[in-house]
Amino acid sequence: MKDLLEAPAFWDDVPSFEGSAPHIFVVLGASGDLAKKKIYPTLWWLFRDRLVPENTMFVGYARSGLTVAELREKCQQYMKVKEGEQERYEQFWGVNHYVRGSYDTRRDFELLDQEMQKVGTARANRIFYLALPPSVFDVVTSNLKACCMASQGWSRVIIEKPFGKDSESSAKLSNHLASLFKEEELYRIDHYLGKEMVQNLMTLR
Ligand SMILES: NC(=O)C1=CN([C@@H]2O[C@H](COP(=O)(O)OP(=O)(O)OC[C@H]3O[C@@H](n4cnc5c(N)ncnc54)[C@H](OP(=O)(O)O)[C@@H]3O)[C@@H](O)[C@H]2O)C=CC1
Ligand SMILES: O=C1O[C@H](COP(=O)(O)O)[C@@H](O)[C@H](O)[C@H]1O
Protein backbone atom coordinates (compact mmCIF):
# COMPACT_ATOMS: atom_id res chain seq x y z
CA MET A 1 0.00 0.00 0.00
CA LYS A 2 2.73 2.44 1.04
CA ASP A 3 4.76 1.60 -2.08
CA LEU A 4 1.74 2.17 -4.24
CA LEU A 5 1.07 5.59 -2.71
CA GLU A 6 4.68 6.61 -3.09
CA ALA A 7 5.07 5.51 -6.71
CA PRO A 8 5.29 8.66 -8.85
CA ALA A 9 3.70 6.79 -11.77
CA PHE A 10 0.56 6.37 -9.72
CA TRP A 11 0.09 10.12 -9.38
CA ASP A 12 1.15 10.83 -12.96
CA ASP A 13 -1.73 8.72 -14.20
CA VAL A 14 -4.43 10.25 -12.04
CA PRO A 15 -6.85 11.62 -14.64
CA SER A 16 -9.00 13.70 -12.33
CA PHE A 17 -6.54 16.46 -11.38
CA GLU A 18 -8.28 19.22 -13.24
CA GLY A 19 -5.45 21.73 -13.22
CA SER A 20 -7.13 24.48 -15.21
CA ALA A 21 -10.71 24.08 -14.01
CA PRO A 22 -11.92 26.55 -11.39
CA HIS A 23 -12.44 25.12 -7.92
CA ILE A 24 -13.91 26.48 -4.71
CA PHE A 25 -12.84 24.91 -1.42
CA VAL A 26 -15.18 25.74 1.46
CA VAL A 27 -14.09 25.24 5.07
CA LEU A 28 -17.19 24.97 7.26
CA GLY A 29 -16.22 25.70 10.84
CA ALA A 30 -13.40 27.96 9.65
CA SER A 31 -13.20 29.64 13.05
CA GLY A 32 -12.35 26.38 14.85
CA ASP A 33 -9.41 24.44 16.16
CA LEU A 34 -9.17 21.85 13.39
CA ALA A 35 -9.40 24.58 10.76
CA LYS A 36 -6.58 26.69 12.18
CA LYS A 37 -4.27 23.83 13.16
CA LYS A 38 -4.72 21.43 10.27
CA ILE A 39 -6.95 22.55 7.43
CA TYR A 40 -5.69 26.05 6.60
CA PRO A 41 -2.03 25.05 7.03
CA THR A 42 -2.57 22.08 4.71
CA LEU A 43 -4.39 24.23 2.16
CA TRP A 44 -1.54 26.73 2.28
CA TRP A 45 1.13 24.04 1.79
CA LEU A 46 -0.78 22.56 -1.15
CA PHE A 47 -1.25 26.02 -2.65
CA ARG A 48 2.42 26.88 -2.05
CA ASP A 49 3.56 23.69 -3.81
CA ARG A 50 1.06 24.21 -6.65
CA LEU A 51 -0.74 20.99 -5.76
CA VAL A 52 -4.17 22.56 -5.99
CA PRO A 53 -5.51 23.68 -9.37
CA GLU A 54 -4.21 27.16 -10.18
CA ASN A 55 -7.68 28.68 -10.27
CA THR A 56 -8.81 27.74 -6.75
CA MET A 57 -10.66 29.98 -4.32
CA PHE A 58 -11.08 29.27 -0.61
CA VAL A 59 -14.15 30.26 1.38
CA GLY A 60 -14.33 29.99 5.17
CA TYR A 61 -17.76 29.69 6.76
CA ALA A 62 -18.75 29.84 10.45
CA ARG A 63 -21.02 31.69 12.86
CA SER A 64 -18.19 33.86 14.23
CA GLY A 65 -17.92 37.25 12.63
CA LEU A 66 -14.38 37.10 11.27
CA THR A 67 -12.62 39.00 8.55
CA VAL A 68 -10.09 37.18 6.38
CA ALA A 69 -7.39 39.17 8.20
CA GLU A 70 -8.63 37.85 11.56
CA LEU A 71 -8.79 34.30 10.23
CA ARG A 72 -5.24 34.69 8.95
CA GLU A 73 -4.11 35.86 12.37
CA LYS A 74 -5.70 32.82 14.07
CA CYS A 75 -3.91 30.46 11.68
CA GLN A 76 -0.57 32.29 11.63
CA GLN A 77 1.42 30.21 14.14
CA TYR A 78 0.57 26.95 12.37
CA MET A 79 1.33 28.02 8.79
CA LYS A 80 5.14 27.61 8.96
CA VAL A 81 5.91 30.20 6.33
CA LYS A 82 9.56 29.99 5.35
CA GLU A 83 11.89 32.63 4.01
CA GLY A 84 11.20 33.34 0.35
CA GLU A 85 7.58 32.19 0.56
CA GLN A 86 6.04 35.51 1.59
CA GLU A 87 4.85 36.53 -1.87
CA ARG A 88 3.16 33.18 -2.42
CA TYR A 89 1.69 33.41 1.10
CA GLU A 90 0.12 36.77 0.27
CA GLN A 91 -1.31 35.22 -2.89
CA PHE A 92 -2.83 32.45 -0.78
CA TRP A 93 -4.69 34.85 1.49
CA GLY A 94 -5.60 36.93 -1.56
CA VAL A 95 -7.78 34.07 -2.82
CA ASN A 96 -9.43 33.53 0.56
CA HIS A 97 -12.92 34.72 1.46
CA TYR A 98 -15.08 34.39 4.55
CA VAL A 99 -18.83 34.18 5.02
CA ARG A 100 -20.52 34.43 8.39
CA GLY A 101 -23.53 32.17 8.79
CA SER A 102 -25.25 29.68 11.04
CA TYR A 103 -25.49 25.95 10.42
CA ASP A 104 -29.24 25.51 10.69
CA THR A 105 -30.54 28.43 8.63
CA ARG A 106 -31.18 27.77 4.99
CA ARG A 107 -31.00 31.45 4.10
CA ASP A 108 -27.38 31.58 5.28
CA PHE A 109 -26.47 28.74 2.93
CA GLU A 110 -28.18 30.61 0.09
CA LEU A 111 -25.89 33.53 0.93
CA LEU A 112 -22.90 31.17 0.94
CA ASP A 113 -23.99 29.99 -2.50
CA GLN A 114 -24.21 33.61 -3.67
CA GLU A 115 -20.69 34.28 -2.39
CA MET A 116 -19.43 31.22 -4.26
CA GLN A 117 -21.11 32.45 -7.43
CA LYS A 118 -19.39 35.79 -6.93
CA VAL A 119 -15.88 34.41 -6.38
CA GLY A 120 -16.04 31.56 -8.88
CA THR A 121 -17.68 30.76 -12.18
CA ALA A 122 -20.74 28.58 -12.79
CA ARG A 123 -18.52 25.73 -13.91
CA ALA A 124 -16.41 25.75 -10.73
CA ASN A 125 -16.16 22.46 -8.87
CA ARG A 126 -17.06 22.82 -5.19
CA ILE A 127 -15.47 21.00 -2.26
CA PHE A 128 -16.98 21.30 1.22
CA TYR A 129 -14.85 20.39 4.25
CA LEU A 130 -16.82 19.93 7.48
CA ALA A 131 -14.43 21.07 10.22
CA LEU A 132 -17.37 20.99 12.60
CA PRO A 133 -18.67 19.10 15.62
CA PRO A 134 -20.63 15.97 14.64
CA SER A 135 -23.77 17.47 16.20
CA VAL A 136 -24.23 19.65 13.11
CA PHE A 137 -23.16 17.22 10.37
CA ASP A 138 -26.80 16.36 9.54
CA VAL A 139 -28.18 19.84 9.28
CA VAL A 140 -25.14 21.22 7.47
CA THR A 141 -25.09 18.50 4.82
CA SER A 142 -28.85 18.95 4.28
CA ASN A 143 -28.41 22.67 3.78
CA LEU A 144 -25.42 22.17 1.49
CA LYS A 145 -27.43 19.78 -0.65
CA ALA A 146 -30.39 22.15 -0.77
CA CYS A 147 -28.51 25.37 -1.53
CA CYS A 148 -24.87 24.96 -2.42
CA MET A 149 -24.31 22.27 -5.04
CA ALA A 150 -22.24 23.30 -8.08
CA SER A 151 -24.52 24.13 -10.98
CA GLN A 152 -22.19 22.86 -13.72
CA GLY A 153 -19.13 21.39 -12.05
CA TRP A 154 -19.05 18.60 -9.48
CA SER A 155 -19.43 18.86 -5.71
CA ARG A 156 -17.69 16.86 -2.98
CA VAL A 157 -18.23 16.71 0.78
CA ILE A 158 -15.39 15.85 3.16
CA ILE A 159 -16.03 14.83 6.76
CA GLU A 160 -13.39 14.40 9.44
CA LYS A 161 -13.94 11.69 12.04
CA PRO A 162 -15.75 10.86 14.34
CA PHE A 163 -18.42 9.24 12.14
CA GLY A 164 -20.79 8.61 15.02
CA LYS A 165 -20.03 7.37 18.54
CA ASP A 166 -21.42 3.84 18.25
CA SER A 167 -22.75 1.61 15.50
CA GLU A 168 -26.24 3.08 15.74
CA SER A 169 -25.19 6.72 15.39
CA SER A 170 -22.67 5.76 12.73
CA ALA A 171 -25.37 4.00 10.69
CA LYS A 172 -27.69 6.98 11.17
CA LEU A 173 -25.06 9.35 9.80
CA SER A 174 -24.24 7.02 6.90
CA ASN A 175 -27.91 6.70 5.98
CA HIS A 176 -28.39 10.43 6.16
CA LEU A 177 -25.38 11.09 3.92
CA ALA A 178 -26.45 8.37 1.50
CA SER A 179 -29.86 10.03 1.18
CA LEU A 180 -28.16 13.23 -0.01
CA PHE A 181 -25.02 12.26 -1.90
CA LYS A 182 -23.62 9.53 -4.07
CA GLU A 183 -20.80 7.60 -2.42
CA GLU A 184 -18.27 9.05 -4.87
CA GLU A 185 -19.24 12.55 -3.73
CA LEU A 186 -18.27 11.75 -0.13
CA TYR A 187 -14.85 11.59 1.53
CA ARG A 188 -14.37 10.48 5.13
CA ILE A 189 -11.07 11.48 6.67
CA ASP A 190 -9.24 10.25 9.73
CA HIS A 191 -6.00 12.18 9.67
CA TYR A 192 -4.56 9.82 12.25
CA LEU A 193 -4.30 7.16 9.55
CA GLY A 194 -1.76 9.41 7.84
CA LYS A 195 0.49 9.52 10.89
CA GLU A 196 3.86 7.87 10.58
CA MET A 197 3.33 5.74 13.66
CA VAL A 198 0.01 4.41 12.37
CA GLN A 199 1.40 3.83 8.89
CA ASN A 200 4.19 1.79 10.45
CA LEU A 201 1.84 -0.48 12.39
CA MET A 202 2.28 -3.28 9.88
CA THR A 203 6.06 -3.12 10.33
CA LEU A 204 5.77 -2.90 14.11
CA ARG A 205 3.54 -5.96 14.20
N1 LIG B 1 -9.08 19.80 16.50
C1 LIG B 1 -8.47 18.74 16.00
O1 LIG B 1 -7.22 18.65 15.94
C2 LIG B 1 -9.27 17.61 15.46
C3 LIG B 1 -10.64 17.67 15.30
N2 LIG B 1 -11.32 16.62 14.73
C4 LIG B 1 -12.75 16.69 14.46
O2 LIG B 1 -12.99 17.82 13.61
C5 LIG B 1 -14.21 18.42 13.91
C6 LIG B 1 -14.00 19.88 14.33
O3 LIG B 1 -13.14 19.92 15.45
P1 LIG B 1 -12.62 21.26 16.12
O4 LIG B 1 -12.26 22.26 15.08
O5 LIG B 1 -11.62 20.87 17.10
O6 LIG B 1 -13.94 21.77 16.85
P2 LIG B 1 -14.33 23.18 17.42
O7 LIG B 1 -14.99 22.98 18.73
O8 LIG B 1 -13.21 24.14 17.34
O9 LIG B 1 -15.50 23.58 16.41
C7 LIG B 1 -15.30 24.09 15.11
C8 LIG B 1 -16.25 25.27 14.93
O10 LIG B 1 -17.59 24.77 14.97
C9 LIG B 1 -18.41 25.71 15.63
N3 LIG B 1 -19.02 25.05 16.79
C10 LIG B 1 -18.43 24.63 17.93
N4 LIG B 1 -19.30 24.03 18.75
C11 LIG B 1 -20.49 24.07 18.12
C12 LIG B 1 -21.78 23.59 18.44
N5 LIG B 1 -22.05 22.97 19.59
N6 LIG B 1 -22.75 23.78 17.54
C13 LIG B 1 -22.50 24.41 16.39
N7 LIG B 1 -21.30 24.88 16.03
C14 LIG B 1 -20.30 24.71 16.87
C15 LIG B 1 -17.53 26.88 16.06
O11 LIG B 1 -17.62 27.87 15.07
P3 LIG B 1 -18.62 29.10 15.12
O12 LIG B 1 -19.12 29.26 16.51
O13 LIG B 1 -17.81 30.25 14.64
O14 LIG B 1 -19.68 28.70 14.15
C16 LIG B 1 -16.15 26.29 16.03
O15 LIG B 1 -15.18 27.26 15.71
C17 LIG B 1 -14.81 17.57 15.01
O16 LIG B 1 -15.61 16.60 14.40
C18 LIG B 1 -13.62 16.93 15.67
O17 LIG B 1 -13.93 15.75 16.33
C19 LIG B 1 -10.68 15.52 14.31
C20 LIG B 1 -9.34 15.42 14.44
C21 LIG B 1 -8.54 16.43 15.03
O1 LIG C 1 -7.75 13.02 15.82
C1 LIG C 1 -7.15 13.52 16.73
O2 LIG C 1 -6.32 14.58 16.49
C2 LIG C 1 -5.99 15.51 17.52
C3 LIG C 1 -4.78 16.31 17.01
O3 LIG C 1 -3.72 15.41 16.81
P1 LIG C 1 -2.29 15.77 16.20
O4 LIG C 1 -1.35 14.82 16.85
O5 LIG C 1 -2.41 15.55 14.72
O6 LIG C 1 -2.01 17.20 16.54
C4 LIG C 1 -5.69 14.75 18.81
O7 LIG C 1 -5.48 15.68 19.82
C5 LIG C 1 -6.88 13.84 19.14
O8 LIG C 1 -6.61 13.11 20.30
C6 LIG C 1 -7.15 12.87 18.04
O9 LIG C 1 -8.37 12.18 18.29
Side-chain angles (χ1 to χ4, degrees), residues 108-150:
D108 289 347
F109 283 81
E110 289 169 357
L111 295 173
L112 171 62
D113 182 62
Q114 283 172 21
E115 179 70 12
M116 287 189 286
Q117 289 177 36
K118 226 188 301 167
V119 305
T121 67
R123 67 186 186 91
N125 299 319
R126 295 180 175 182
I127 303 155
F128 301 96
Y129 197 111
L130 270 64
L132 285 166
S135 55
V136 292
F137 283 176
D138 278 17
V139 68
V140 166
T141 48
S142 294
N143 279 324
L144 287 175
K145 179 67 182 187
C147 309
C148 296
M149 295 295 96

